[in-house]
Amino acid sequence: MRPRAWCGVLAAVALSATACGGGGGEAEKTDGAGAAASARAGFPVTVSDCMGARTTFDAAPKKIVTSNAAGLELLMWLGAGDKVAGTGFPPGKGALPEQYGEAGAKVPVLGKSVIPKEKLLGSGADLYVDAFSSMKNMGKMGDAPTAEEFKAAGIKHVFLKSTACASMAKAARTDLSGVEADIEELGKVTGTSARATELVAGMRKKTAEVRDALKDVPADKRPSYFLFDYDAGTKQPMAVCNRQVANAVIGMAGGRNVFADCDGDFKPVGWEDVVAKDPDWIQLAVRNRGSEEANAKAFDEAAEFLKTFPATAGLKAVKEGHFVRINSERTTIGGVRSADTVREIAHTLHPDRVK
């Protein structure tokens, strides 16, 4: 039970009236108060998955599990981080914004990568926030629960569609509207819509400033850009295609994704394809290693590979040292900080325009 000081917050996220310590009243009155609180918080709320199947929430969830650190971070930004009861793909040290690092480290880890099916279904959660379209896509860690299994376990299943549904998108991603929609939708589900609106407004302000700074730079004068996913392996590079959120991030930052003609989210390509594109800039997209020192080492390793690998040593970006050092998660997984990534890349590509 939370202290009485939390009563107003609990009401705002539409928990039952008894959570605020009223107690002793008739069940009929309690139920009526709970329904009124839910209505004030904007419930019921209906959301859809990647295929359009709809899920309705009559009140905010009380216990949430997230598929990875992206969902965990978003819930913390929304002010619902105290409800997270477990996560998969936990954030490494330093991966979360500083203000959420301590709380994030205390979240139980249900899976170092994909959460095993049995552990997820037995977690006691009433909501699972999923950044993946299917656990089958994330390695040999067992199948994803079926809709029937989620229902039997009492778990409602929602998606961060800007990432989970990227491969199914009908058109290229050129802005952060899908990420913003995820934030707004999760805000409605958790009863934190006011905070979601505030976060989206902040993101739009940042990206608008970049857009205005670059508005008179012709498309054909913007530098070409290759996101090198070092951790995906060096034998065969993985291209970021035009349905991936990174395509929008790169374009909004004033770059030209060299694989923007590729439909879908990711696609294995050959080094000869990268050489043919001869990008002006290459992002050394390594996954967060948990510290500035470890990240710097990984960035250096990725750069050294490109400098010494015969196929890439002669690339324009490699010879000129035009490397962008930003972790892959911040570019390929949508979130509140996507707008910051736009600004950071834009500053690197256009330092005279974006300070």
Side-chain angles (χ1 to χ4, degrees), residues 25 61 87 140 162 165 173 254 267 285 298 308 317 324 349:
T87 189
K140 299 177 181 178
S162 62
C165 311
R173 303 284 175 130
K267 178 184 177 182
T308 57
V324 179
L349 303 187

Side-chain angles (χ1 to χ4, degrees), residues 117-195:
K117 175 178 173 178
E118 295 75 17
K119 188 169 285 189
L120 173 56
L121 292 175
S123 65
D126 54 358
L127 174 63
Y128 177 55
V129 178
D130 194 350
F132 313 134
S133 59
S134 168
M135 288 188 187
K136 294 177 182 179
N137 296 338
M138 300 305 296
K140 299 177 181 178
M141 294 295 292
D143 293 338
T146 64
E148 292 73 21
E149 288 171 327
F150 273 121
K151 184 176 181 180
I155 301 173
K156 293 188 175 182
H157 186 190
V158 302
F159 292 85
L160 297 181
K161 293 195 280 288
S162 62
T163 301
C165 311
S167 63
M168 308 174 199
K170 302 298 184 184
R173 303 284 175 130
T174 58
D175 59 32
L176 297 180
S177 58
V179 178
E180 293 164 357
D182 278 340
I183 295 169
E184 292 172 331
E185 184 171 277
L186 195 56
K188 290 176 182 178
V189 166
T190 58
T192 59
S193 285
R195 175 59 173 159

